[in-house]
């Protein structure tokens, strides 16, 4: 039986129950396979609040309050995802880079990458057996509402595709180098009512 791991990148992490179930199927602490999920941290989030002038700060309406609660709402979803991903031996990572907005999306599946240091990295590019490139954000909206366009690439020993495997492995590893593992972070437990409302909306529509 092969040691299979899955790595998923989504700018707006909103794992549906069906996707969460599929990801955790890769969890196998004894064999080494696990799910790894990468998403935007607060600094590099597409909804990160912009700097405002003093006059703007003094005139904040309900729309502005909702917008400002979105990054925290996404971190709440990250916390929920982390519980199931970490429980089956995986990791959830947050991309943080000053001045950059994270919008990467994709899937990487590896087999028998046996290096045990920093398991979230792809140490052996030839272990990549498949990757998905496309528009899907891997949330409720992508799963139930939008029409997404994705390309599934499958590698095998006869395809002589080492340069492509190296390239897609580098894409994942480079993002990980600027990311923080969520188990090293402290999440707020006192989420306000507005954020909770935004979380419930995002679970259905993003």
């Amino acid at each position: 039986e092969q040691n299979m791991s899955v790595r998923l990148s989504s700018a707006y992490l909103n794992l549906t129950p069906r996707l969460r179930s599929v990801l955790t199927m890769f969890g196998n602490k004894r064999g080494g396979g696990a799910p790894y999920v990468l998403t935007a941290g607060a600094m590099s989030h597409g909804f990160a609040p912009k700097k405002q002038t003093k006059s703007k700060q003094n005139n904040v309406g309900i729309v502005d309050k909702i917008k400002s609660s979105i990054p925290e709402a996404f971190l709440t979803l990250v916390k929920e995802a982390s519980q199931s991903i970490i429980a089956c031996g995986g990791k959830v990572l947050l991309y943080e880079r000053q001045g950059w907005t994270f919008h990467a999306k994709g899937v990487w599946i590896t087999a028998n990458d046996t290096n045990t240091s920093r398991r979230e990295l792809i140490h052996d590019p030839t272990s990549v057996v498949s990757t998905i490139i496309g528009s899907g954000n891997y949330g409720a909206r992508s799963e139930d509402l939008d029409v997404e366009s994705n390309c599934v690439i499958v590698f095998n020993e006869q395809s002589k595709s080492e340069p492509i495997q190296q390239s897609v492995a580098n894409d994942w590893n480079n993002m990980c180098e600027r990311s923080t593992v969520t188990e090293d972070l402290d999440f707020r437990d006192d989420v306000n009512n507005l954020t909770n409302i935004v979380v419930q909306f995002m679970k259905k529509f993003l």
Side-chain angles (χ1 to χ4, degrees), residues 133-162:
I133 302 169
S135 64
N137 274 313
Y138 306 104
R141 180 171 170 175
S142 291
E143 187 172 299
D144 299 323
L145 300 176
D146 287 352
V147 176
E148 303 287 8
S149 177
N150 293 297
C151 174
V152 179
I153 302 175
V154 179
F155 304 104
N156 56 52
E157 295 180 357
Q158 290 73 38
S159 62
K160 298 182 179 179
S161 52
E162 287 88 351

Side-chain angles (χ1 to χ4, degrees), residues 67-86:
K67 286 182 178 179
S68 65
S69 70
I70 290 177
E72 185 177 354
F74 268 111
L75 285 179
T76 301
L77 294 178
V78 169
K79 180 180 179 180
E80 291 182 7
S82 296
Q83 293 172 349
S84 57
I85 297 298
I86 293 174

Side-chain angles (χ1 to χ4, degrees), residues 24-74:
T24 55
M25 284 173 56
F26 285 83
N28 181 0
K29 292 182 179 180
R30 183 166 52 185
Y36 303 98
V37 177
L38 176 65
T39 191
M43 179 191 302
S44 297
H45 203 284
F47 288 98
K50 307 296 187 292
K51 290 185 178 180
Q52 298 179 336
T53 63
K54 288 186 178 180
S55 61
K56 181 68 173 177
Q57 291 174 351
N58 295 329
N59 187 26
V60 177
I62 184 63
V63 174
D64 295 311
K65 290 181 179 179
I66 291 174
K67 286 182 178 179
S68 65
S69 70
I70 290 177
E72 185 177 354
F74 268 111

Side-chain angles (χ1 to χ4, degrees), residues 41-42 53 73 128 163 180 185:
T53 63
V128 180
T180 303
L185 301 176

Side-chain angles (χ1 to χ4, degrees), residues 49-205:
K50 307 296 187 292
K51 290 185 178 180
Q52 298 179 336
T53 63
K54 288 186 178 180
S55 61
K56 181 68 173 177
Q57 291 174 351
N58 295 329
N59 187 26
V60 177
I62 184 63
V63 174
D64 295 311
K65 290 181 179 179
I66 291 174
K67 286 182 178 179
S68 65
S69 70
I70 290 177
E72 185 177 354
F74 268 111
L75 285 179
T76 301
L77 294 178
V78 169
K79 180 180 179 180
E80 291 182 7
S82 296
Q83 293 172 349
S84 57
I85 297 298
I86 293 174
C88 66
K91 295 181 181 180
V92 177
L93 302 100
L94 298 179
Y95 182 92
E96 299 274 19
R97 187 174 183 182
Q98 185 69 43
W100 285 63
T101 298
F102 181 83
H103 206 266
K105 54 195 76 171
V107 174
W108 296 252
I109 298 176
T110 58
N112 301 322
D113 188 358
T114 56
N115 193 311
T116 57
S117 64
R118 294 192 63 188
R119 289 181 182 272
E120 70 272 16
L121 298 178
I122 301 175
H123 297 279
D124 177 11
T126 62
S127 70
V128 180
V129 295
S130 182
T131 188
I132 301 176
I133 302 169
S135 64
N137 274 313
Y138 306 104
R141 180 171 170 175
S142 291
E143 187 172 299
D144 299 323
L145 300 176
D146 287 352
V147 176
E148 303 287 8
S149 177
N150 293 297
C151 174
V152 179
I153 302 175
V154 179
F155 304 104
N156 56 52
E157 295 180 357
Q158 290 73 38
S159 62
K160 298 182 179 179
S161 52
E162 287 88 351
I164 301 175
Q165 290 170 293
Q166 180 72 64
S167 179
V168 297
N170 287 345
D171 286 341
W172 171 264
N173 290 340
N174 289 339
M175 293 187 293
C176 287
E177 291 301 331
R178 294 189 177 272
S179 302
T180 303
V181 179
T182 55
E183 60 188 358
D184 297 331
L185 301 176
D186 292 324
F187 290 99
R188 288 181 55 186
D189 292 323
D190 57 336
V191 177
N192 60 49
N193 291 335
L194 178 58
T195 300
N196 278 325
I197 293 172
V198 174
V199 167
Q200 297 309 313
F201 176 85
M202 292 194 304
K203 282 184 175 181
K204 294 182 180 179
F205 298 106

